[in-house]
Amino acid sequence: MKNPNDLIKIPDYKKIRVIIDTDAACEADDPFAIAQALMSPKFIVKGILAEHFREPGSTKRSYDEVRTVLEAMDVDVPVFMGQEGPLETDNAVSPAAQFIIDEANNGAGSDASPLYILCQGAITNVAMALRACPQIKDKIIIVWIGTHGIQNIGKPVPFREFNAGNDVPAANEVLQSGAKIWLIPSDVYTTINVTLAELKVKVEPYGKIGHHLYHNMIDYNLSDRAGWTQGESWSLGDSPAIAVAINPGCGKFVEAPAPFVNEDTASVAREGSPVIRIYTSVDSRFILEDFFAKLKLFFGE
């Protein structure tokens, strides 16, 4: 990959430290978000964490998919194995959770900027890090694609929200932790719609990574796991985590008490919940056109 800093110049003081937490092998949208993050010169990507998706061996599958993306982009970033499944009382701290702790503490100091953790799946690794070292909560900003937010409080659950549902206790530990959280709920992340035709034209031609992203999407769409999709379209639902870190104002948000997640993933109000940022919309044009432009810039002829 061409060096993003050679093609897009931004001041060093505007750059941010980033960790990506991803269940990359679960569906086909995570790799798009990973690639966009790696092409963004604002980001100093410190590491990528493999997240489980509540299946045996899923953490390792996510780890392997991250390695595939990095190889296709010819980029070298540390990758860490996360927790093997949902949190239990006797969980050991995974390499991924320990990396969050170490990196958060490495940034300590009077002039330290916060560490952004961009979470694109269950939030188990972050919950484990906060459980093991609660004091890092004041040193991080957690951007999470997850939950039904607050729009659906008191309403029937529209569907089982996948990311929160893969570890409900971890979701509530993080949401109630007092850490700074930017939450991107289901009615927002499902709006980043693309067609397979658009991806064929704007993604597949651009290097090994474009080929991988497109064909990984096609393979998933043809699999038995993708019966819920519409057939020739997709929502790149993990990409808003990248976009709001690039530009926090690329969507509208409210400051409101964090929802509590029931076992069926319904959001409910809980007295005393800490106030967090909850996005109510994001600009899909900003998100998608940024990705397509960077892919062409860095992998075009």
Side-chain angles (χ1 to χ4, degrees):
M1 183 176 78
K2 300 168 189 175
N3 188 341
N5 294 291
D6 291 339
L7 294 174
I8 305 172
K9 303 289 188 182
I10 68 167
D12 286 344
Y13 75 90
K14 292 185 178 180
K15 296 179 180 180
I16 59 175
R17 294 182 300 137
V18 163
I19 291 174
I20 302 164
D21 187 87
T22 171
D23 57 355
C26 180
E27 296 173 358
D29 49 333
D30 284 80
F32 284 80
I34 296 167
Q36 189 167 8
L38 293 170
M39 294 187 293
S40 298
K42 182 175 178 176
F43 292 173
I44 304 167
V45 181
K46 306 300 292 187
I48 304 177
L49 316 181
E51 186 66 75
H52 75 91
F53 43 95
R54 211 179 177 96
E55 292 181 8
S58 58
T59 306
K60 180 59 164 59
R61 287 162 59 191
S62 292
Y63 179 95
D64 290 344
E65 175 59 23
V66 172
R67 299 298 312 173
T68 296
V69 170
L70 292 174
E71 181 179 354
M73 297 182 73
D74 193 23
V75 172
D76 185 20
V77 173
V79 186
F80 299 90
M81 284 285 289
Q83 306 298 134
E84 293 291 344
L87 283 187
E88 299 175 358
T89 56
D90 58 349
N91 280 123
V93 177
S94 66
Q98 188 60 52
F99 183 73
I100 292 172
I101 295 168
D102 293 343
E103 190 60 38
N105 287 325
N106 283 344
S110 59
D111 60 347
S113 60
L115 173 67
Y116 287 73
I117 309 174
L118 312 183
C119 301
Q120 305 164 193
I123 203 159
T124 308
N125 294 329
V126 175
M128 187 72 252
L130 286 167
R131 181 183 288 184
C133 189
Q135 58 266 36
I136 67 169
K137 75 179 180 66
D138 298 321
K139 304 173 184 178
I140 61 178
I141 295 175
I142 301 162
V143 183
W144 186 28
I145 303 289
T147 83
H148 288 305
I150 57 175
Q151 302 288 352
N152 289 295
I153 287 179
K155 300 177 183 178
V157 179
F159 55 88
R160 183 172 178 80
E161 201 285 310
F162 189 78
N163 291 344
N166 278 339
D167 195 344
V168 172
N172 286 321
E173 283 195 31
V174 173
L175 290 169
Q176 301 298 317
S177 68
K180 191 170 186 178
I181 298 170
W182 298 357
L183 187 66
I184 305 171
S186 62
D187 59 341
V188 177
Y189 69 68
T190 54
T191 64
I192 313 304
N193 294 310
V194 294
T195 68
L196 299 182
E198 186 175 22
L199 299 181
K200 176 76 173 177
V201 172
K202 295 182 178 179
V203 174
E204 188 194 24
Y206 295 106
K208 291 181 179 179
I209 186 59
H211 184 274
H212 174 69
L213 292 174
Y214 176 74
H215 287 279
N216 188 51
M217 176 75 74
I218 294 298
D219 289 346
Y220 182 85
N221 194 48
L222 292 173
S223 73
D224 293 339
R225 294 168 60 91
W228 55 272
T229 68
Q230 298 303 312
E232 64 169 272
S233 63
W234 194 273
S235 176
L236 295 181
D238 290 313
S239 297
I242 311 305
V244 301
I246 295 172
N247 176 12
C250 78
K252 295 181 180 179
F253 58 84
V254 297
E255 303 287 339
F260 187 85
V261 181
N262 282 346
E263 189 56 41
D264 66 354
T265 73
S267 291
V268 298
R270 170 167 285 195
E271 186 176 353
S273 287
V275 172
I276 64 171
R277 175 180 297 188
I278 303 175
Y279 276 85
T280 58
S281 68
V282 289
D283 184 345
S284 62
R285 188 218 64 85
F286 174 85
I287 295 169
L288 294 173
E289 290 300 331
D290 177 74
F291 173 73
F292 294 142
K294 285 171 177 171
L295 196 64
K296 187 174 182 177
L297 274 175
F298 301 138
F299 293 96
E301 296 298 332

